[in-house]
């Protein structure tokens, strides 16, 4: 009623005052509309633009994608170097927020899911199909879950990145912040300096141990064949002796039963022939047994020596592998969901189906104070060397707990620190999260973890990686062995499971 009344009054006024009033009112309405439109534009985030830092760029260490701002930023040791707009997943096909790494690169990739769609300069971050690649950018989220970048930007970037480079997808804006904490790795300059020579020495020792093991295996096989041949000869000699003894026994029995001189003579003749034959058979058997015993003993010794050599080979290979891996940056993942600590390094061993094999030989329980209290998701990265050892930053994409407080709550086992901290290099990282490792973490990935309180449509709708090979034991770096098993840990969306983990646990066994 009040509105109708106001309208009526305005209409009456216009009737009384005529066209000048109408003009003023229309002008005021137009001004109000323009003001409202300007306010709306200010409320919207400014569109991301492509930019390059005004300095010489180093090797990129990480990329951070902001779903909120539809922007990706690449960082080297000294800050951001490249920035560009992106287009992430649409509603129902959202790009998952979480922690990833580049696991494969393909200059001219075509989609196997979406009608052979062209995805140039593709950099895969999950094997079920999430990737960064060149594509059309309409100015808003429009992909099926991937992160589209400008075509020229993706091409320029392609040769700069590397397998294992960290990719962080954040629901909001995030950036690395300088950080220090006593729990972060402090490398030893002496250990780092000695690492290359140690790796080379242990590699030689591993190769020598492998040759020795192969020779011992061949010697054991030869001794076993000779022992088998002697066993057959012994059986034949035993049969001949048994037959000769039977003939002698028959002659003795015939001689005892003889009643006539003629019968006694025949029996005596039989005995004279059988006795030396039996004696000779016995002598040959005794000699063969003596010879066989020494060779059987030698075969047993050769077999034992082959076992010892094989153990030394495995130990030497493990030591050589660890020494070689010490030359690589190390990544650590600490999960509040599983109460475990995982360690991974890239072996740079290519896999025929694409990507490279990542070592996963450390997986241990970890102590987290107040384990029922959320800890957030924080990525601590060693950006470069400094006087203290390493200069660190932190990126927080889920701040249930302050980054410092998160590290304060964790006690990393000393034996793990002793193995990895002395040779920690730039690009090493520690990830702390409430989340378990995703089902997509396998033999060809670094760590994959998604935020379960964020939409994951573009991740969940894709077929999970199944029937993946898992490392068969600790014999990394000197001939990889894998067995296939179904990855039964499916990961539901929009929930925070705390009873178990989705990542298939590492299988500790020899193959």
């Amino acid at each position: 009623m009040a509105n109708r009344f106001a309208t009526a009054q305005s209409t009456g006024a216009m009737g009384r005052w005529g066209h000048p009033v109408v003009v003023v009112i229309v002008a005021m309405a137009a001004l109000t509309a323009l003001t409202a439109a300007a306010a709306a534009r200010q409320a919207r985030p400014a569109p991301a633009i492509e930019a390059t830092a005004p300095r010489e760029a180093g090797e990129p260490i990480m990329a951070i994608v902001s779903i909120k701002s539809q922007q990706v930023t690449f960082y080297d040791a000294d800050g951001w170097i490249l920035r560009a707009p992106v287009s992430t997943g649409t509603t129902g096909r959202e790009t998952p927020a979480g922690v990833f790494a580049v696991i494969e690169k393909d200059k001219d990739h075509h989609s196997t899911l979406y009608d052979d769609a062209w995805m140039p300069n593709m950099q895969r971050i999950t094997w079920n199909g999430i990737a960064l690649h060149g594509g059309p950018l309409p100015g808003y989220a429009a992909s099926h879950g991937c992160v589209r970048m400008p075509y020229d930007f993706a091409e320029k970037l392609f040769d700069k990145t590397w397998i294992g480079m960290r990719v962080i997808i954040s629901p909001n804006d995030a950036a690395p912040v300088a950080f220090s904490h006593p729990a972060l790795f402090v490398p030893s300059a002496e250990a780092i300096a000695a690492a290359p020579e140690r790796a080379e020495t242990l590699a030689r020792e591993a190769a020598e141990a492998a040759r020795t093991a192969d020779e011992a295996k061949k010697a054991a096989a030869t001794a076993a064949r000779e022992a088998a041949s002697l066993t057959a000869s012994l059986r034949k000699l035993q049969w001949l002796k048994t037959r000769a003894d039977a003939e002698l026994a028959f002659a003795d029995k015939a001689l005892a039963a003889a009643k006539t001189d003629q019968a006694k003579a025949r029996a005596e003749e039989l005995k004279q022939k059988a006795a030396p034959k039996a004696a000779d058979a016995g002598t040959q058997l005794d000699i063969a047994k003596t010879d066989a015993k020494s060779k059987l003993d030698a075969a047993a010794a050769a077999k034992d020596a082959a076992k010892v050599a094989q153990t030394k080979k495995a130990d030497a290979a493990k030591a050589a592998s660890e020494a070689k891996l010490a030359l690589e940056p190390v990544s650590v993942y600490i999960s509040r969901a599983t109460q475990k600590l995982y360690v991974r390094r890239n072996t740079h061993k290519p896999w025929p189906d694409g990507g490279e094999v990542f070592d996963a030989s450390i997986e241990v329980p970890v102590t987290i104070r107040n384990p029922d209290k959320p800890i957030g998701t924080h990525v601590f990265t060693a950006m470069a060397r400094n006087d203290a050892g390493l200069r660190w930053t932190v990126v927080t994409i889920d701040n249930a707990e302050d980054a410092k407080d998160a590290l304060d709550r964790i006690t990393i086992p000393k034996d793990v620190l002793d193995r990895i901290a002395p040779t920690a290099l730039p690009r090493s990282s520690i990830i702390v999260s409430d989340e378990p490792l995703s089902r997509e973490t396998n033999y060809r990935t670094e760590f994959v973890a998604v935020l379960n309180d964020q939409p994951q449509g573009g991740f969940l709708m894709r077929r999970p990686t199944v029937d993946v090979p898992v490392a068969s034991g600790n014999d990394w770096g000197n001939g990889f062995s894998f067995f296939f098993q179904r990855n039964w840990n499916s990961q539901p969306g929009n929930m925070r499971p705390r009873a178990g983990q989705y990542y298939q646990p590492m299988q500790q066994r020899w193959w």
Side-chain angles (χ1 to χ4, degrees):
M1 178 68 74
N3 288 339
R4 286 199 297 272
F5 178 73
T7 303
Q9 280 186 324
S10 297
T11 303
M14 284 190 286
R16 289 193 303 273
W17 292 103
H19 291 294
V21 174
V22 173
V23 172
V24 171
I25 292 175
V26 170
M28 291 178 63
L31 180 60
T32 302
L34 289 172
T35 304
R41 283 196 299 272
Q42 288 178 351
R44 254 187 247 122
I49 59 173
E50 190 172 333
T52 302
R55 62 179 175 84
E56 184 176 350
E59 183 181 55
I61 293 177
M62 74 176 77
I64 302 178
V65 176
S66 169
I67 294 175
K68 176 183 177 181
S69 297
Q70 292 291 285
Q71 176 176 269
V72 62
T73 306
F74 288 79
Y75 296 86
D76 69 3
D78 296 316
W80 76 274
I81 51 174
L82 294 167
R83 183 172 288 139
V86 298
S87 183
T88 59
T90 58
T91 301
R93 298 174 181 268
E94 297 89 353
T95 301
V99 182
F100 308 87
V102 174
I103 55 177
E104 184 187 39
K105 299 172 66 175
D106 186 355
K107 189 76 175 170
D108 187 27
H109 184 73
H110 289 261
S111 174
T112 58
L113 294 175
Y114 302 111
D115 301 323
D116 200 39
W118 187 42
M119 299 178 175
N121 299 293
M122 185 275 293
Q123 302 192 52
R124 185 188 299 276
I125 59 175
T126 73
W127 286 109
N128 71 356
I130 304 295
L132 283 67
H133 61 81
L137 271 65
Y140 49 83
S143 80
H144 289 90
C146 286
V147 178
R148 297 182 195 165
M149 301 181 293
Y151 285 109
D152 292 344
F153 182 86
E155 182 175 10
K156 178 172 63 175
L157 179 73
F158 188 81
D159 292 330
K160 299 180 184 296
T161 59
W162 38 276
I163 300 295
M165 189 195 77
R166 178 77 61 224
V167 177
I168 300 169
I169 301 179
S170 175
N172 300 302
D173 296 338
V177 177
F179 188 84
S180 63
H181 192 279
L184 299 174
F185 305 144
V186 179
S188 162
E190 293 78 10
I192 291 175
E197 183 178 352
R198 182 171 182 270
E200 186 177 342
T201 299
L202 289 175
R204 286 197 304 269
E205 292 178 359
E208 181 61 32
R211 284 193 294 270
T212 300
D214 290 343
E215 291 171 2
K217 185 178 179 180
K218 291 176 182 177
T222 300
R225 285 194 299 271
E226 292 177 353
S229 175
L230 282 171
T231 301
S233 298
L234 283 174
R235 282 197 299 266
K236 183 178 180 181
L237 288 172
Q238 184 65 56
W239 179 80
L240 291 173
K241 182 179 184 302
T242 300
R243 182 177 175 182
D245 288 343
E247 290 176 356
L248 181 58
F250 177 79
D252 285 336
K253 187 175 181 181
L255 184 60
K259 302 298 183 183
T260 64
D261 291 342
Q262 187 177 9
K264 288 180 180 179
R266 284 198 304 270
E268 188 65 39
E269 183 179 358
L270 284 174
K271 183 175 181 180
Q272 287 177 359
K273 289 181 179 180
K277 190 176 179 181
D280 184 55
T283 300
Q284 289 187 41
L285 181 60
D286 289 342
I287 292 173
K289 282 183 176 180
T290 301
D291 187 37
K293 184 179 184 307
S294 63
K295 291 190 175 180
L296 287 170
D297 289 344
K303 184 178 179 180
D304 291 341
K307 288 182 178 179
V308 171
Q310 189 64 32
T311 300
K312 288 183 178 179
K313 173 187 173 182
D315 291 343
K318 180 182 176 183
S321 175
E322 290 186 353
K324 184 178 180 181
L325 288 171
L327 304 177
E328 296 293 323
V330 60
S331 292
V332 174
Y333 188 90
I334 299 172
S335 168
R336 185 177 71 88
T338 63
Q339 303 286 296
K340 282 190 175 183
L341 177 151
Y342 311 84
V343 178
R344 291 207 160 196
R345 282 183 168 115
N346 192 354
T347 68
H348 299 292
K349 179 180 176 64
W351 190 256
D353 292 338
E356 298 177 355
V357 177
F358 282 77
D359 169 72
S361 55
I362 300 178
E363 178 181 319
V364 296
V366 67
T367 301
I368 300 177
R369 193 173 71 252
N370 300 325
D372 295 330
K373 178 184 176 184
I375 204 166
T377 296
H378 315 274
V379 182
F380 305 90
T381 306
M383 305 299 281
R385 291 188 174 94
N386 64 9
D387 293 340
L390 292 171
R391 174 167 55 82
W392 291 81
T393 65
V394 64
V395 177
T396 295
I397 59 174
D398 182 10
N399 61 348
E401 182 79 279
D402 175 81
K404 176 184 179 302
D405 293 338
L407 277 185
D408 285 343
R409 287 170 56 187
I410 296 168
T411 302
I412 299 177
K414 186 177 183 303
D415 60 327
V416 174
L417 282 174
D418 290 343
R419 287 179 66 179
I420 62 181
T423 56
L425 300 170
R427 303 204 319 248
S428 294
S429 61
I430 300 174
I431 304 163
V432 175
S433 181
D434 292 308
E435 307 295 347
L437 286 173
S438 163
R439 64 188 176 191
E440 284 299 304
T441 302
N442 60 57
Y443 70 110
R444 288 187 295 165
T445 71
E446 218 242 32
F447 296 119
V448 180
V450 298
L451 301 187
N452 278 288
D453 61 353
Q454 297 296 320
Q456 302 169 28
F459 184 73
L460 296 175
M461 67 177 294
R462 295 164 189 262
R463 181 178 301 172
T465 302
V466 297
D467 293 330
V468 295
V470 178
S472 65
N474 290 324
D475 192 11
W476 291 87
N478 189 34
F480 291 79
S481 298
F482 297 96
F483 62 89
F484 283 80
Q485 64 182 30
R486 182 166 296 278
N487 194 337
W488 45 264
N489 288 312
S490 62
Q491 181 167 336
N494 300 323
M495 60 181 294
R496 285 181 178 266
R498 289 293 173 257
Q501 62 188 46
Y502 299 120
Y503 160 69
Q504 190 69 26
M506 181 182 65
Q507 304 295 316
Q508 292 286 357
R509 66 179 78 176
W510 293 101
W511 201 240

